[in-house]
Amino acid sequence: MSYSEQMLAALDDQNLQQADQLFKQALANDDPETLFNLAEELQALGFSVQSGQIARQLLRQDPDADEARLMLAELAINDDQTDQALNWLAQIKPESPVYPQSLLTAADLYQTLNLLEVSEQKLLQAKVLLPDEPVVDFALGELYLTMGRYQEALAAYQRLADQKIEYLAQVSINQRRAEALAGLGEYEEAVELLTPLTESLATDDQLFQLGVLQHNLHRESAAIKTLTRLQQQNSDYSGLYEPLVASELAAEQPEQALQSAQVGLGYDEFNLNLYRLGAEAALKTGDTKKASDLLEKGLAIDNDAESLRALLGTIVLREGHYQRVVDLLAPLATADQADPQVAWELAVAYDHLDQVEAANSAYFQAYAELKDNPDFMRQFINFLQEEGQTAPLKLALQQYLRLVPDDPEYTELLLDLESDQDDN
């Protein structure tokens, strides 16, 4: 038995002092191949110092020992010594037998540095050298998925599926294909791939992905069933609650949606979408106070959250708190592509606060998008009539009557307006 084997046996017995003595003996007596195997075992066990010591000794004995250089690069990466890792990798020349593996290692490193295009270049080089190597296709698929280049990711995973490879690095290839298809909007095909994976045992990610896809396809009952199964399997999976609440709302289950939102916020108190969805559920149950409380808590986390401000503005407008409406919505109305509903609600609030000029501006801001909304047009007409704005009032009446031609009150108002103009 070599000293290397004896050292590993001592580590199994947790006899660290003897293992250290045997390590020194191995360095002095074992052949290079045995030592390299020991270095790999030690690297896997987390003994990076000893692995590095062996690799450096092998390099001193044989300057062409690129396997040792690659190991030193991997150890440097694990220690966050990026520059040192790149230096070791750069010393491995294209003619080296480990050069393709060095390209894969470099690609991983550049990906962690968010240099995704450089990572892609390394992987494509490796693909040329190893055209049939599944690990290269898998790495390309993972990279393209990260980059949002779903068609290329799908092609890479499909090459693995064509080779009948179902799992690689403990990752389901069909699950990855489904993720790529979902990114392309091919939800039906993605569900077809995922459903068999979840029929018996399923990972949290598989259930989450399937539930989200079912929600996107408006299969709310199936989504609720899948996401509830995930909740029962792992209630700490905080991402499940947002699509679960959305599905319960879509399925007209507001009480359950409100409960799910509150449970989800217990796991992720900073999820602003959960505050909004929970508030929407509370409103559907008639609990305005609960809705307001949820929105206020969300705004305490991010006072600039537009969706929370907009919904709370709608609530307080109904309650007649007009200054609060202005405080909430005025910052949103100045934003690019402001929601016309926000401008409408602001106009109503300003009108009640006797801020006529601001109300007038808000009404005209909303008009461009809401001129086909009869409810808006009636309020706009009433405002213009009160303010005596004859010319825009006539145009607004004409627009409204194109929408509701049989409204006698507004028909008469337009006729009176036109008669007064004729008399003048």
Side-chain angles (χ1 to χ4, degrees):
M1 180 181 290
S2 67
Y3 288 109
S4 294
E5 293 170 320
Q6 293 179 58
M7 180 199 177
L8 292 173
L11 286 175
D12 284 340
D13 294 336
Q14 299 184 348
N15 189 336
L16 297 182
Q17 184 175 0
Q18 184 183 10
D20 184 58
Q21 293 172 354
L22 290 166
F23 177 69
K24 294 173 183 176
Q25 293 281 1
L27 285 174
N29 297 285
D30 285 348
D31 62 82
E33 183 178 353
T34 301
L35 278 175
F36 184 75
N37 291 336
L38 174 61
E40 288 185 316
E41 292 284 352
L42 293 174
Q43 182 182 11
L45 292 170
F47 291 93
S48 57
V49 173
Q50 290 80 0
S51 296
Q53 192 173 346
I54 293 173
R56 286 183 175 85
Q57 176 173 307
L58 293 175
L59 270 177
R60 286 194 297 271
Q61 294 172 352
D62 179 8
D64 294 329
D66 284 334
E67 296 90 345
R69 283 191 177 85
L70 183 58
M71 177 176 289
L72 287 167
E74 293 168 349
L75 293 170
I77 291 171
N78 292 336
D79 290 338
D80 294 324
Q81 297 177 2
T82 302
D83 291 341
Q84 185 61 58
L86 291 172
N87 181 51
W88 285 119
L89 291 170
Q91 295 178 36
I92 301 175
K93 304 304 179 186
E95 57 272 16
S96 171
V98 301
Y99 183 68
Q101 181 59 45
S102 76
L103 291 172
L104 293 173
T105 302
D108 285 341
L109 176 55
Y110 283 117
Q111 190 167 348
T112 62
L113 296 173
N114 205 34
L115 297 172
L116 303 185
E117 290 77 11
V118 181
S119 179
E120 180 188 10
Q121 291 171 10
K122 298 296 181 182
L123 290 175
L124 291 175
Q125 284 181 264
K127 179 67 176 172
V128 171
L129 297 172
L130 302 172
D132 300 320
E133 174 54 55
V135 171
V136 178
D137 281 324
F138 181 72
L140 281 167
E142 297 290 278
L143 177 64
Y144 289 139
L145 200 62
T146 300
M147 299 173 77
R149 291 163 58 176
Y150 300 113
Q151 193 65 59
E152 291 161 291
L154 182 60
Y157 294 128
Q158 187 61 51
R159 289 194 292 270
L160 296 172
D162 291 343
Q163 297 177 57
K164 309 300 182 185
I165 296 173
E166 297 183 0
Y167 286 86
L168 200 63
Q170 299 181 323
V171 172
S172 165
I173 300 306
N174 275 348
Q175 182 182 344
R176 287 293 197 261
R177 289 170 65 201
E179 289 181 45
L181 285 165
L184 293 168
E186 302 291 342
Y187 301 142
E188 292 278 4
E189 291 182 49
V191 167
E192 288 179 13
L193 284 172
L194 275 176
T195 300
L197 295 176
T198 63
E199 286 177 350
S200 53
L201 294 177
T203 67
D204 295 343
D205 289 343
Q206 287 168 350
L207 289 172
F208 175 73
Q209 188 178 352
L210 179 58
V212 169
L213 288 169
Q214 290 166 332
H215 172 64
N216 290 340
L217 289 167
H218 307 293
R219 300 176 185 175
E220 309 302 352
S221 296
I224 292 168
K225 182 178 179 180
T226 300
L227 293 167
T228 300
R229 178 182 166 192
L230 172 55
Q231 183 183 16
Q232 293 168 344
Q233 180 170 301
N234 181 8
S235 60
D236 289 339
Y237 197 103
S238 60
L240 76 89
Y241 292 98
E242 188 176 326
L244 176 59
V245 175
S247 290
E248 289 168 340
L249 274 172
E252 300 297 333
Q253 299 176 17
E255 294 86 358
Q256 185 59 46
L258 176 57
Q259 181 180 340
S260 297
Q262 291 173 312
V263 172
L265 287 168
Y267 291 101
D268 184 4
E269 62 178 324
F270 299 106
N271 188 324
L272 299 180
N273 284 334
L274 268 182
Y275 286 104
R276 176 182 57 80
L277 290 168
E280 290 177 6
L283 287 175
K284 287 194 172 185
T285 68
D287 194 340
T288 304
K289 184 178 185 307
K290 172 60 71 175
S292 298
D293 288 346
L294 284 167
L295 293 168
E296 294 284 10
K297 287 179 180 177
L299 287 170
I301 295 169
D302 182 359
N303 192 47
D304 296 324
E306 294 186 8
S307 63
L308 304 189
R309 279 178 168 266
L311 185 53
L312 186 56
T314 300
I315 293 172
V316 297
L317 179 63
R318 295 173 188 167
E319 297 172 342
H321 303 309
Y322 301 114
Q323 187 56 53
R324 178 64 170 146
V325 174
V326 171
D327 294 340
L328 285 165
L329 300 186
L332 305 185
T334 60
D336 292 338
Q337 299 179 334
D339 186 342
Q341 181 72 27
V342 167
W344 180 9
E345 293 176 356
L346 261 178
V348 173
Y350 281 131
D351 191 19
H352 280 89
L353 293 169
D354 295 324
Q355 297 181 28
V356 177
E357 185 175 342
N360 188 74
S361 176
Y363 267 122
F364 276 97
Q365 182 181 353
Y367 175 79
E369 298 292 332
L370 297 180
K371 62 183 178 181
D372 294 328
N373 183 321
D375 293 332
F376 167 77
M377 291 304 299
R378 279 192 293 270
Q379 280 196 312
F380 187 30
I381 288 167
N382 293 340
F383 171 78
L384 293 172
Q385 186 179 17
E386 289 173 4
E387 299 305 318
Q389 299 187 42
T390 305
L393 174 59
K394 180 180 177 180
L395 294 174
L397 282 165
Q398 291 171 339
Q399 170 62 21
Y400 173 73
L401 289 171
R402 278 193 284 268
L403 303 173
V404 190
D406 56 350
D407 188 315
E409 178 184 353
Y410 287 92
T411 300
E412 183 179 354
L413 179 58
L414 178 59
L415 290 173
D416 289 344
L417 189 64
E418 291 174 338
S419 176
D420 290 343
Q421 288 179 337
D422 291 341
D423 290 343
N424 293 332

